[in-house]
Amino acid sequence: MTPPHPMDLIPAPVRIEGPYRCGFLLDRRTTLNAAPGTETTERWLRATLGAALALPLRDTADEKATNSIRLRIDDTLAPEAYRLHVLFNQVVEIIGGGPAGVFWGAQTLRQLLGPDAFRAAPLKEKPVAGVIAQTIEDAPRFGWRGLLLDVSRHFLPKDDVLRYLDLLAAHKLNVLHLHLTDDQGWRIEIERYPRLTEVGAWRARTKWGHRASPLWTETPHGGFYTQDDIREIVAYAAERHITVVPEIDLPGHAQAAIAAYPELGNTDVVDTTALTVWDTWGVNPNVLAPTEAVLRFYEGVLEEVLGLFPSTFVHIGGDECPKDQWKASPAAQARIRELGVGDEDGLQSWFIRHFDRWLADRGRRLIGWDEILEGGLADGAAVSSWRGYAGGIAAAQAGHDVVMCPEQHVYLDHRQAPGDDEPMPIGYVRTLADVYRFEPVPPGLAPEAAAHILGTQANVWTEAMENRSRVDYQVFPRLAAFAEVAWSALPAPEARDHADFERRMRTHYRRLDALGVDYRPPAGPHPWQQRPGVLGRPLEGTPPNV
């Protein structure tokens, strides 16, 4: 196996010294010396690299042993920073500022060992793996480097979520935003409210394509994660230094919950007992009623959610909440007067502020889509800026933390190329080059406001993605470009060397092949990746930079 050139790394590191002419050949005699605090990387190296290369990586207590991989922590480095030394005397030394830094250094080592290191079992009877002598110093630009995975619209089984955690780790991404509830399905077991999954996790049929499509898939669709499934997902993520941020949507995007518990809806203007889990796409008019009983219900939901997810941040949605039912509801109008919130926008803000305080009292922080800015936002709340840059700019200037995820740039459900071959084409064309030139920090933002940009996130909404292969197609290879934007200290967008990135991608495609990722080939989709005759919603021209 010929190792790749060190400059084939994705994401690109801060600095490389070397490579030199000699190197280190790992074989079955190679040992592993792990200092305290590096246990997650020690386990990962044995389970993943060990399996791929048939290397037992036996433990050694000798800190000076040759033919060895050494794991160390140096707290003078930033927590996610690392130094990787491949030394002349047959030693690989990974030094991290904290456990996460050591782990990211191990991800770089895996890339240096070649695409075969990404397989689940060795290709050769007596495998060896070579790595060229060099020193790599690296650290991430942003602390929040995320991917949103929408498992509500189309459910992904637990094993597929675990696989995506491995794919995030391979790209040095550290947040999985798990979109667990929406109109089309409730995906997390809540023990005190069993009908949320008995009823809310299943729909009778599904719109095939965009909501304007005349086609339906008549097979019932659904699924949910038990609480033990969630515990497993969270633990698996933690071993890879990834935080799982749950999203429980309110007060809109709630029809699945209302179908399960009709009293949650605006019963004085709609027969909520007739509602079922929604089978099509778009913005749904059925929203939660502004009652104390609804608050208590969702507090009960969130109590169980907090027990499962240790994440500091809890996402409560807060987006796309039509006000028509509240305007027509005598009960909602009386509530507006009782609370003194002025109007329906104030009522939505009341919902958000209530759960911001509720979460803060329990040591957590609310994060929501940028609509939560409307009507005012509590001091500790953070914003996911999805409608463009404007919401994030306003939030940062007001002192709120922000995750930048503008749909015009990093919604990976949007199509990757023009033409009729793209399956169920949604939105503007966002090519690999477009994603590579995305800049999370808006130009002109003052330094004190820019300090509130926690990081960035790519979002994957699955209305037109019915299974894992379709998700792979939309996510890859663009996630590799996004990962470099989130991690690496890149120049301004117009100065970025996309030609060099494409050159490095030639090696990275081989890694994705080894991992079994059904990515979109550079030349266009395979015939089996297309969806001829299924209506999408392509938008023409350059997306607005708003």
Side-chain angles (χ1 to χ4, degrees):
M1 178 173 60
T2 302
H5 191 279
M7 287 310 296
D8 286 345
L9 295 173
I10 291 177
V14 171
R15 189 178 76 86
I16 296 179
E17 182 182 312
Y20 304 105
R21 292 184 178 179
C22 54
F24 177 15
L25 200 65
L26 286 74
D27 59 25
R28 294 186 63 82
R29 298 168 296 173
T30 302
T31 58
L32 181 59
N33 178 264
T38 67
E39 292 84 3
T40 55
T41 302
E42 178 185 13
R43 289 190 289 269
W44 181 86
L45 283 169
R46 288 203 174 98
T48 304
L49 277 189
L53 304 174
L55 302 178
L57 297 177
R58 296 182 180 88
D59 181 59
T60 178
D62 184 356
E63 297 181 2
K64 297 182 180 180
T66 57
N67 194 5
S68 186
I69 299 173
R70 301 173 186 167
L71 307 179
R72 302 284 183 268
I73 288 180
D74 177 356
D75 60 12
T76 65
L77 299 175
E80 290 192 284
Y82 68 89
R83 287 196 301 268
L84 188 153
H85 302 293
V86 182
L87 306 175
F88 297 117
N89 59 342
Q90 290 200 316
V91 169
V92 173
E93 186 174 61
I94 303 173
I95 303 168
V102 179
F103 184 74
W104 304 132
Q107 298 301 320
T108 296
L109 174 62
R110 188 189 195 187
Q111 290 198 15
L112 292 173
L113 289 168
D116 287 354
F118 289 78
R119 296 189 177 276
L123 302 184
K124 302 174 184 177
E125 185 178 349
K126 295 182 178 180
V128 292
V131 58
I132 300 170
Q134 61 201 280
T135 295
I136 296 173
E137 295 182 352
D138 205 5
R141 180 185 179 192
F142 293 109
W144 184 303
R145 308 179 302 279
L147 177 75
L148 177 144
L149 198 55
D150 171 21
V151 296
S152 176
R153 272 56 175 271
H154 277 101
F155 179 67
L156 281 178
K158 178 196 68 179
D159 285 353
D160 289 342
V161 176
L162 300 180
R163 172 180 176 265
Y164 257 83
L165 288 166
D166 282 327
L167 291 171
L168 294 187
H171 292 83
K172 298 187 175 74
L173 299 173
N174 67 348
V175 175
L176 176 65
H177 175 168
L178 208 53
H179 182 71
L180 290 164
T181 74
D182 215 299
D183 302 300
Q184 295 86 2
W186 186 285
R187 305 295 178 215
I188 178 172
E189 178 188 28
I190 302 297
E191 291 178 347
R192 73 188 71 184
Y193 304 129
R195 286 178 59 83
L196 286 173
T197 46
E198 290 171 359
V199 174
W202 310 95
R203 60 178 182 260
R205 63 174 188 169
T206 299
K207 177 64 71 174
W208 184 233
H210 184 258
R211 61 180 176 271
S213 166
L215 304 177
W216 296 86
T217 300
E218 297 294 342
T219 303
H221 177 83
F224 65 93
Y225 309 110
T226 68
Q227 294 203 358
D228 280 345
D229 290 338
I230 294 293
R231 292 183 183 98
E232 181 182 356
I233 288 168
V234 169
Y236 195 87
E239 278 285 299
R240 287 146 184 81
H241 299 277
I242 296 170
T243 299
V244 184
V245 175
E247 180 175 351
I248 305 296
D249 251 318
L250 63 91
H253 289 291
Q255 182 159 320
I258 296 169
Y261 291 92
E263 64 271 21
L264 298 174
N266 295 283
T267 57
D268 56 345
V269 293
V270 64
D271 180 9
T272 57
T273 63
L275 295 178
T276 60
V277 176
W278 212 26
D279 55 13
T280 189
W281 320 122
V283 178
N284 188 295
N286 293 297
V287 302
L288 297 174
T291 67
E292 290 296 321
V294 167
L295 296 185
R296 301 293 89 75
F297 183 96
Y298 273 84
E299 287 170 0
V301 168
L302 288 169
E303 282 178 5
E304 296 192 25
V305 168
L306 297 192
L308 296 168
F309 294 91
S311 166
T312 298
F313 287 98
V314 176
H315 207 292
I316 52 74
D319 63 319
E320 296 181 330
C321 179
K323 310 301 192 297
D324 297 339
Q325 289 185 359
W326 290 346
K327 289 177 180 178
S329 164
Q333 292 301 309
R335 192 71 162 143
I336 288 172
R337 293 190 296 272
E338 175 191 349
L339 296 169
V341 296
D343 58 14
E344 292 78 19
D345 286 340
L347 201 55
Q348 178 168 348
S349 180
W350 167 78
F351 261 109
I352 303 304
R353 286 175 177 272
H354 174 85
F355 285 103
D356 178 80
R357 291 191 299 270
W358 190 90
L359 288 167
D361 288 345
R362 289 153 182 80
R364 307 296 183 98
R365 290 185 65 188
L366 181 148
I367 186 168
W369 303 112
D370 53 57
E371 287 97 328
I372 68 173
L373 290 164
E374 298 165 4
L377 188 57
D379 289 342
V383 169
S384 300
S385 187
W386 77 274
R387 291 182 293 182
Y389 284 113
I393 292 171
Q397 290 175 338
H400 295 285
D401 289 337
V402 176
V403 175
M404 280 293 184
C405 48
E407 68 166 325
Q408 302 86 353
H409 301 275
V410 288
Y411 267 34
L412 301 186
D413 44 298
H414 287 198
R415 60 193 175 130
Q416 303 183 63
D420 296 332
D421 290 342
E422 294 303 310
M424 302 186 198
I426 302 296
Y428 294 100
V429 171
R430 293 287 85 190
T431 66
L432 185 68
D434 291 328
V435 174
Y436 190 66
R437 294 191 176 100
F438 164 59
E439 174 48 49
V441 179
L445 198 62
E448 59 271 21
H452 284 288
I453 306 296
L454 298 176
T456 184
Q457 181 171 288
N459 293 346
V460 183
W461 303 101
T462 60
E463 289 95 332
M465 288 176 244
E466 72 276 14
N467 55 35
R468 186 181 88 177
S469 292
R470 276 289 289 124
V471 175
D472 277 5
Y473 179 90
Q474 293 298 134
V475 171
F476 290 99
R478 292 181 295 180
L479 192 70
F482 173 80
E484 186 148 312
V485 168
W487 177 278
S488 303
L490 297 176
E494 64 275 7
R496 293 178 189 172
D497 190 348
H498 183 254
D500 178 70
F501 176 76
E502 284 192 316
R503 179 195 62 77
R504 288 181 282 131
M505 278 299 299
R506 289 198 289 270
T507 297
H508 202 67
Y509 284 121
R510 293 169 58 208
R511 298 177 188 131
L512 297 178
D513 287 333
L515 288 166
V517 176
D518 293 329
Y519 59 84
R520 181 190 187 275
H526 296 298
W528 56 87
Q529 293 174 320
Q530 300 171 23
R531 298 290 186 276
V534 182
L535 185 67
R537 185 175 175 263
L539 300 175
E540 302 302 331
T542 302
N545 196 19
V546 294

